[in-house]
Amino acid sequence: MIRVTYVAHDGAETVIEAEEGTSVMQAAVSNDVDGIVGECGGSMMCATCHCYVDEAWEAKTGQRSDDEDEMLEGAASEVTGRSRLSCQIKLDPSLDGLVVHLPEEQL
Amino acid sequence: MSPSRVVIVGAGQGGLQAAISLRQSGFDGAITLIGAEPGLPYQRPPLSKAYLLDGKAEALTLRPESFFESKQVAYLPDTRVLEIDRQAQEVHLDGPGEARRMGYDHLVLATGTRNLRPPIDGLEHACDLRTLADAARLREALAAPRRIAVIGGGFIGLEFAAVARKLGHDVSVMEAAPRLMARAVSPAMSRHFEAWHRAQGVALHLGRAAIGVDAGGVSLDDGARVEADFVLLAAGVRPNTELAEAAGLETENGVCVNAQLLSSDPAISALGDCASFPDPRSGAMVRLESVQAATDHARLIAARIAKGACPDYAAVPWFWSDQGDQKLQIAGFAGPGATEEVVADGLVARFDAGGLAAVETVNNARAHMKARRLLAPGGSADLAALKEAIAA
Ligand SMILES: Cc1cc2nc3c(=O)[nH]c(=O)nc-3n(C[C@H](O)[C@H](O)[C@H](O)COP(=O)(O)OP(=O)(O)OC[C@H]3O[C@@H](n4cnc5c(N)ncnc54)[C@H](O)[C@@H]3O)c2cc1C
Ligand code: FES
């Protein structure tokens, strides 16, 4: 199992464990983490799964793709260099302990 | 005064979203979510895409069991609403245990659609693709090499065909209209997908209606025969409006609602696949079968119930369909009679009297997002504006 910490906009932390291969969006939704909506189910259509990867993890999660970049234009909160669509980050053992921050709004 | 008991009929994408959004909007009354299907509410789009390949049913679940406890939503799976008694403001339920009645202050109809079963002989040999149970059956059928016939060249039939072909099956698609996805996309986009499916080796029979199905295949109206050991019926759907009709609500191609998504009874709203609503841009009554419509409708209804008032429905429609490596994205909505302009390969703009109505793109998220912004309420865009936005 891979551990992920979600830091809400107000600073509240939720730690969950998910199976390898699950996306950071899916892991949040199936553990009832508020702050990630994931309306399109990971089809890169809705940009309601926006998250900011913690500085310490940036190198490990990698860069966002061009399409991801375009879809982020539709995100409800500010997009920064660390913005990702969490449905596009797949969990693998190298991401055990991953920390992501959640935006104020997803819609 | 806001109602204190909300009952939601149908626990699909829109029904569940209504429950989620009611709590997010601060509604603190009782919420009951009633669904005819077993298990937790799930999303349907992957049923004709990823699920057929990976079989991961857990990944479809929209919210875990704990959601219903923590948000105090009473969820009644495997339970069907049989009747609405508008005078008494009660619904009659049939589910595990005994049949019973339940009172409501506000009722939300989120009953979705069911597969159209056209009058074709031997249709009992054909499978549907609407529910998780259907998709699980299809997955089993795809496990061994087969000749597969798909009746209906719409989104679901074509997504299934693309998956089946990728898995190495022989695939034929028959469509009564002269082109693919004729109800929803422009002729130019139909041609794009026609060429793509043919290049994958899918046999397309356009302008050919199936007239009979038997254990050995499908017979077409021109006398031709498509041999098949498995037949999928994907010839469209019809909205589940029987409850509303029996209760005397206005219905026409869905439960008719106004820009507040209220039916002809102010204590009853309708959303998603089963609702016919005024298109914010053209004012025409439309019914959309999409995740976007179901969830945006649900959010408006929830806000209205929780806060007592809300602005009229104004969301820009969007839709996608994944057929193999071809991701079709549609921003906006074009009615019948819209004209088309091919802006670039895999990029078609559609127009009506009000200007730009919809933009269809293939594997072009950038143009799709630009179009979504351009179509936002209040504006009216033309071809030049679209070209400028895409070039920017
Ligand atoms: C295979 C497939 C692929 C799809 N792909 C896409 C896609 O790529 N993109 C997209 O945007 N959309 C797609 N859709 C459409 C999308 O799933 C629907 O638009 C969406 O689910 C509509 O939500 P809804 O809540 O209106 O209806 P549904 O999700 O269909 O839910 C309605 C529910 O109500 C229940 N119900 C009906 N009558 C009663 C009753 N009397 N009592 C109790 N319960 C009742 C039904 O059992 C059902 O569970 C797809 C649909 C299918 C079937
Ligand atoms: S879940 Fe929709 S873009 Fe990620």
Side-chain angles (χ1 to χ4, degrees), chain B residues 147-198:
Chain B
R147 292 165 307 168
I148 293 174
V150 178
I151 301 177
F155 295 119
I156 293 174
L158 292 173
E159 288 179 358
F160 176 80
V163 172
R165 191 65 204 116
K166 182 174 173 184
L167 292 172
H169 302 278
D170 273 347
V171 183
S172 306
V173 176
M174 42 230 81
E175 165 58 52
R179 61 184 181 94
L180 298 174
M181 304 172 282
R183 268 190 325 121
V185 307
S186 64
M189 196 50 76
S190 295
R191 284 194 297 276
H192 173 96
F193 277 90
E194 184 183 332
W196 186 83
H197 281 282
R198 287 199 202 276

Side-chain angles (χ1 to χ4, degrees), chain A residues 21 26 29-32 34 36-46 67 70-71 73-75 107, chain B residues 13 43 59 62-64 66-67 70-71 291 295 299 318-320 327 329 365-366 368-370 372-373:
Chain A
Q26 187 62 46
V29 169
S30 52
N31 286 283
D32 212 2
D34 281 334
I36 296 260
V37 178
E39 187 152 295
C40 73
S43 295
M44 253 214 274
M45 278 302 292
C46 68
D67 278 358
E70 300 299 346
M71 293 312 295
E73 269 202 45
L107 289 160
Chain B
Q13 185 102 41
Q43 47 190 321
L62 285 162
R63 285 292 181 276
S66 59
F67 164 85
S70 68
K71 298 294 191 297
V291 167
T295 52
R299 276 191 281 270
W318 51 261
F319 181 80
W320 80 100
K327 186 182 199 78
Q329 295 177 301
R366 180 182 146 76
H368 173 72
M369 287 312 285
K370 299 277 183 207
R372 247 151 91 168
R373 198 130 345 112

Side-chain angles (χ1 to χ4, degrees), chain A residues 25 38-49 85-88:
Chain A
M25 179 279 289
E39 187 152 295
C40 73
S43 295
M44 253 214 274
M45 278 302 292
C46 68
T48 64
C49 62
L85 291 176
S86 60
C87 65
Q88 301 304 309

Side-chain angles (χ1 to χ4, degrees), chain A residues 1-104:
Chain A
M1 294 297 257
I2 295 154
R3 264 167 29 114
V4 184
T5 301
Y6 298 86
V7 185
H9 190 69
D10 65 5
E13 294 190 5
T14 311
V15 184
I16 61 102
E17 290 197 341
E19 261 174 61
E20 185 174 347
T22 314
S23 74
V24 172
M25 179 279 289
Q26 187 62 46
V29 169
S30 52
N31 286 283
D32 212 2
V33 176
D34 281 334
I36 296 260
V37 178
E39 187 152 295
C40 73
S43 295
M44 253 214 274
M45 278 302 292
C46 68
T48 64
C49 62
H50 182 191
C51 73
Y52 307 103
V53 174
D54 191 81
E55 233 166 321
W57 290 90
E58 257 190 293
K60 291 216 169 97
T61 53
Q63 291 287 305
R64 57 194 188 225
S65 70
D66 287 351
D67 278 358
E68 202 180 325
D69 205 41
E70 300 299 346
M71 293 312 295
L72 273 166
E73 269 202 45
S77 295
E78 189 200 356
V79 175
T80 71
R82 296 210 304 271
S83 287
R84 291 291 310 265
L85 291 176
S86 60
C87 65
Q88 301 304 309
I89 307 174
K90 294 274 180 301
L91 292 170
D92 66 36
S94 77
L95 292 178
D96 192 17
L98 176 68
V99 179
V100 297
H101 301 262
L102 304 180
E104 186 170 11

Side-chain angles (χ1 to χ4, degrees), chain A residues 40 43 45, chain B residues 8-17 33-38 41-49 62 75-76 78-83 92-94 109-115 129-131 134-135 155-157 159 237 240-243 271-275 288-295 297 318-322 328:
Chain A
C40 73
S43 295
M45 278 302 292
Chain B
I8 304 165
V9 189
Q13 185 102 41
L16 175 69
Q17 186 63 50
L33 178 64
I34 304 168
E37 292 186 68
Y42 61 92
Q43 47 190 321
R44 298 183 199 281
L47 295 180
S48 49
K49 309 178 181 81
L62 285 162
Y75 174 47
L76 308 180
D78 249 327
T79 303
R80 183 167 281 282
V81 171
L82 303 176
E83 195 186 330
H92 298 194
L93 310 183
D94 189 19
L109 295 176
T111 50
T113 57
R114 66 169 170 281
N115 250 14
L129 177 45
R130 177 81 205 158
T131 64
D134 293 336
F155 295 119
I156 293 174
E159 288 179 358
V237 297
N240 291 323
T241 53
E242 287 74 9
L243 276 180
L271 63 76
D273 280 17
C274 74
L288 298 181
E289 292 153 15
S290 72
V291 167
Q292 174 275 325
T295 52
H297 286 171
W318 51 261
F319 181 80
W320 80 100
S321 172
D322 295 331
L328 168 66

Side-chain angles (χ1 to χ4, degrees), chain B residues 207-218:
Chain B
R208 288 284 159 259
I211 53 167
V213 183
D214 54 54
V218 182

